Amino acid sequence: MTYRAAVTRPEAGTHRDRARGCLLGLAAGDALGAPAENLTPAEIRRRWGRLTEIERGGTDDTEYAIFAASQLVRHGHALTSADVAAAYRAEVLPRITGPMRGAGFSELGTVEALRRGLEPPMTGLVHQHGWSDGLAMRAAPYGIFCPGDPAEAARLVEQDGRVSQSGEGVLGGRAVAGAVAAAMAGLPPREVVAAALSVVPEDSWTARAVTRAVAVLDRIRQDRPAMQDRPAMQDPLAVQDRPVAEDPPAVQERAEEGREPDGEEAALVEALHEAVVVSHYPWTDVAPEAVALALAAYLAGDGDVEASVTFAVSLGRDADTIGAIAGAVAGAGRGEGGVPGRWAARIGPVAGTCLPVVAGRHVLTVADELTDAAARHRPAAVAGDETGAEAGDDRADPRAGAPADGPGGGSRTAKGQ
Amino acid sequence: MSGDRIRGAFAGLAVGDAVGWPAGRHRSALHAPWSRRLHRELDAFAEEHRVTTLPVPFALNQPVAPLALGPSDDAEWLAWTALTIDRPRAEAFRELREQSPDLRARISVATALDNLARGVEPPASGHDNPHHFDDAAAVRAVAFGALGRDPAGDARVTNAGDGVLGALAMAAAVAAAVATGSAAQAVEAALAVLPGDTAIGHNARLAIEAARAAGDPFAAVPALDAALLDHVYSYAVGAALTVPVALALAEVSGGALGRAVPAAACLAPLADSAPALTGAITGACGGFEAIPEGWTASARTLAGCCLPHLAGTDLIELTEELV
């Protein structure tokens, strides 16, 4: 049954529409990727070919994003790490009576640190999973709240991140919040990825991983035209039995249900793994890796929600989080109408399995609350919600935004441009 | 500088490395792979049948020497560091990969070797690394500290953040212990390089406070467990845990290896490397001659369980050449 948080869908391209698209995309990517988590790409291909249909509900990604959004709605741009720590103490800790289901190591470590009486940033430093993608998975609301202002989105998400993460885990959150903020302003995918890179230090694992992943896509795209002239038998990247698509990208064209992924796509998946995946490590929730894979999937899908998200979850590893990030960024760019209707129909209120405090909340309601909150906190001149995100408004160009103020600071643009 | 204390640092690390259950696990790498497979199957059997205490590590028809008390990973990595200490560090690691392609290493080192192979140079090789925080560099830093050298360049090949700070702290502690024989001065030197706003700096001060309140190494074990240990997910070799425990136990024991190392081994989640680091500091404080001869005799011959080319190397003879 389709859940409807509003009687009519908002006008395409408005802040409200993009906010709804973003969180619907996040929830859909989370749910689609959940059964593929920790599987190898080969095993995913063996089981599903291309995984295109949501089989079960979402996981921690959606519930923690809703929790983060509630902090933003409450505190706006004044949000501090102390506010977030207080919310954990008031709303999360008392409800953990047995196992903390669905939580990742960084959340568990943070809860233990809070119980020991520590305060941020030490709560994010004392456990050893500071680099986890636990912040990146819930970073999208910060981008929704700061459309067109990646630097402010990154500053705010860092307030949240300092409670539970450190180092690259914080940077992964900044990159995703920055990307969503840029996508909320309608920027094209390349500029969205540039915005993500603009809010993390160039000398960081996150920046290096994203840059390497973008380089893989560039290399494969550059190679492709030359391959058209050669026999398919000699060409590992050639598409069998049909011409190579150049525009739109092949990945997007192939997102239809039931189509088997071909050799070219498998080669791209392998090359992305080679470029950014950590081999000798038993866990897959490494933020620089997940963020780089998600942004690569978003670029490979050219910003299309279905193409980006289905390719994202085909990468395996932390597939639900990679799918959620790709879905959030793509959904912010394409709006509610960009999320396939059959996926949207599967997204209901969350169960509160991971965070009981958010049980019963729906991402569309949360998106609307974020939109209203962003309007409340916006200067009066641009406070008109339904026109706020239109192209050509007076919102700051993210590429010219305030310098990043994160660890190692300094604004930068993408090397891959 | 005292040659006896330098030998004490090396021998103390090897004795601590040999203590306890994890050394046997590392040394079982010397047996045939099927023996470790049987080990896993026996674990599953125990789970299924609700029986406790099965015979592991497992030898069956294999040479039994690896099951004897002896040193394992940390002593081998320390010996390799001492042998290659004059080489540029990234080069030394690249050469090691050539020399010993079947080596076994902590996750930080394995990832750093992958990074070096894909052209990611230090410090990114140690930074773009999920285990940048582990104590692999802290173990190697014992060689740098004992010989009065700076461990930072070596540490940054495989580690970053708390992992590098752990190395700086261990080198400072061992250097001070070699120079003065005082555990208090060793701990003071280590604290001077550990900022209080880092996890390792925070934990070091917390651990020392807990140990002082307990007043004795063995009495400090429950206090350290409650105040410090990660009960969510123990990585066993996180520098922010093992180095603070080593500093705290070294100080509260007054630098007595025979009191400090057994207490470190009692913190089961840290029993892989905390006893080794504790042994290095206290071994340097008391010197080689103060370590019970039975322990040095058992701990001096390397097994080659992680670095096969070092099998049979006598760590103390190697140290003689350095002093």
Side-chain angles (χ1 to χ4, degrees):
Chain A
M1 184 182 189
T2 304
Y3 179 88
R4 303 185 71 85
V7 177
T8 54
R9 183 177 285 179
E11 187 185 337
T14 58
H15 187 193
R16 189 174 299 275
D17 174 54
R18 292 186 190 280
R20 290 166 69 104
C22 177
L23 290 191
L24 258 190
L26 185 153
D30 177 19
L32 186 71
E37 187 180 8
N38 293 325
L39 299 181
T40 64
E43 177 63 14
I44 293 167
R45 283 194 291 273
R46 190 189 71 75
R47 290 195 192 179
W48 293 284
R50 169 79 84 151
L51 178 52
T52 60
E53 302 311 310
I54 292 174
E55 295 183 352
R56 54 167 117 139
T59 65
D60 53 344
D61 307 76
T62 307
E63 296 194 1
Y64 278 87
I66 292 172
F67 182 65
S70 71
Q71 304 311 310
L72 265 177
V73 167
R74 192 175 303 162
H75 300 285
H77 294 279
L79 180 73
T80 64
S81 297
D83 294 331
V84 177
Y88 271 91
R89 287 203 162 98
E91 298 168 31
V92 178
L93 268 62
R95 288 178 169 83
I96 306 170
T97 50
M100 189 177 172
R101 295 188 198 285
F105 292 126
S106 65
E107 290 83 38
L108 293 164
T110 300
V111 164
E112 190 64 15
L114 288 165
R115 282 174 173 153
R116 279 179 166 164
L118 297 177
E119 298 299 335
M122 197 53 75
T123 47
L125 285 164
V126 288
H127 64 77
Q128 303 293 13
H129 274 82
W131 42 251
S132 100
D133 56 20
L135 182 66
M137 77 177 180
R138 65 174 186 265
Y142 297 92
I144 294 174
F145 190 70
C146 305
D149 193 351
E152 174 63 3
R155 187 192 69 79
L156 278 174
V157 79
E158 182 161 347
Q159 299 303 312
D160 182 346
R162 282 155 58 89
V163 178
S164 56
Q165 325 290 130
S166 62
E168 299 289 339
V170 172
L171 297 184
R174 288 179 62 97
V176 173
V180 170
M184 289 292 296
L187 293 186
R190 283 283 168 160
E191 293 181 39
V192 165
V193 174
L197 286 168
S198 77
V199 293
V200 297
E202 188 168 6
D203 181 13
S204 65
W205 185 2
T206 302
R208 282 186 285 270
V210 170
T211 303
R212 280 203 297 269
V214 170
V216 165
L217 291 172
D218 287 346
R219 194 180 75 228
I220 290 197
R221 280 179 177 162
Q222 275 170 12
D223 289 350
R224 192 185 295 142
M227 289 174 177
Q228 280 186 293
D229 300 330
R230 290 186 289 161
M233 289 294 286
Q234 296 174 17
D235 179 1
L237 296 181
V239 181
Q240 298 286 336
D241 301 323
R242 59 197 175 93
V244 175
E246 288 199 77
D247 189 21
V251 166
Q252 180 179 353
E253 193 186 63
R254 257 177 277 124
E256 305 123 44
E257 189 182 346
R259 184 72 64 86
E260 289 296 310
D262 57 33
E264 179 179 2
E265 185 174 309
L268 176 56
V269 169
E270 189 181 337
L272 286 171
H273 271 240
E274 175 70 22
V276 302
V277 165
V278 180
S279 307
H280 303 296
Y281 193 60
W283 311 111
T284 58
D285 58 328
V286 185
E289 177 189 309
V291 170
L293 291 177
L295 292 177
Y298 166 70
L299 286 178
D302 201 26
D304 177 83
V305 178
E306 180 167 358
S308 301
V309 171
T310 56
F311 182 66
V313 304
S314 79
L315 293 164
R317 305 292 290 176
D318 201 355
D320 55 331
T321 293
I322 297 170
I325 295 170
V329 181
R334 297 295 170 94
E336 186 178 356
V339 180
R342 66 182 199 285
W343 288 359
R346 297 292 304 262
I347 304 302
V350 297
T353 311
C354 307
L355 284 175
V357 67
V358 301
R361 312 244 34 225
H362 195 287
V363 287
L364 290 178
T365 317
V366 173
D368 289 349
E369 289 173 2
L370 274 172
T371 304
D372 295 339
R376 277 201 309 278
H377 289 93
R378 205 179 294 161
V382 291
D385 162 58
E386 299 303 334
T387 57
E390 294 292 346
D393 71 4
D394 58 358
R395 181 163 295 114
D397 182 335
R399 289 161 296 176
D405 58 356
S411 190
R412 65 182 293 272
T413 48
K415 283 179 183 170
Q417 293 306 294
Chain B
M1 189 185 280
S2 158
D4 184 55
R5 292 207 193 107
I6 294 173
R7 281 190 293 278
F10 279 77
L13 181 130
V15 168
D17 186 29
V19 161
W21 154 259
R25 251 194 99 98
H26 291 304
R27 290 163 66 89
S28 76
L30 295 166
H31 284 152
W34 61 256
S35 68
R36 293 187 296 282
R37 175 176 54 74
L38 211 48
H39 180 175
R40 293 191 292 273
E41 288 171 4
L42 286 168
D43 267 354
F45 178 92
E47 182 67 28
E48 186 185 342
H49 294 267
R50 304 178 66 81
V51 293
T52 59
T53 320
L54 286 161
V56 289
F58 204 80
L60 186 64
N61 90 11
Q62 300 274 296
V64 296
L67 297 189
L69 187 69
S72 63
D73 59 339
D74 298 325
E76 292 177 21
W77 281 100
L78 180 68
W80 172 78
T81 307
L83 287 167
T84 62
I85 202 160
D86 290 324
R87 296 286 301 142
R89 297 320 294 162
E91 288 314 302
F93 276 93
R94 286 197 165 93
E95 288 157 9
L96 176 64
R97 194 186 175 107
E98 298 279 310
Q99 181 175 21
S100 209
D102 296 330
L103 64 84
R104 289 172 189 250
R106 281 178 175 71
I107 287 169
S108 66
V109 175
T111 304
L113 290 171
D114 275 358
N115 277 338
L116 291 172
R118 66 161 68 134
V120 178
E121 299 294 320
S125 56
H127 178 276
D128 298 3
N129 193 319
H131 262 211
H132 62 82
F133 53 74
D134 79 20
D135 61 7
V139 169
R140 300 196 305 272
V142 170
F144 287 89
L147 300 173
R149 301 209 191 185
D150 179 3
D154 173 74
R156 291 191 183 109
V157 178
T158 57
N159 291 86
D162 285 352
V164 168
L165 289 174
L168 299 182
M170 278 305 296
V174 170
V178 164
T180 69
S182 157
Q185 292 203 33
V187 168
E188 194 180 322
L191 286 179
V193 298
L194 294 177
D197 61 354
T198 59
I200 191 172
H202 171 85
N203 284 349
R205 289 163 180 87
L206 197 62
I208 289 163
E209 197 182 310
R212 282 176 185 163
D216 168 81
F218 188 66
V221 168
L224 289 170
D225 180 87
L228 198 69
L229 260 58
D230 186 341
H231 298 130
V232 171
Y233 189 95
S234 170
Y235 277 114
V237 292
L241 294 177
T242 57
V243 174
V245 161
L247 293 172
L249 293 176
E251 190 197 72
V252 77
S253 71
L257 180 142
R259 296 171 64 218
V261 167
C266 287
L267 289 161
L270 306 184
D272 196 345
S273 58
L277 297 175
T278 307
I281 301 172
T282 53
C285 286
F288 179 76
E289 297 301 332
I291 302 173
E293 192 184 344
W295 274 105
T296 52
S298 296
R300 65 190 296 161
T301 307
L302 303 181
C305 60
C306 285
L307 299 175
H309 70 284
L310 293 182
T313 300
D314 185 310
L315 183 68
I316 304 310
E317 281 176 17
L318 185 158
T319 311
E320 303 284 356
E321 293 165 22
L322 299 170
V323 176

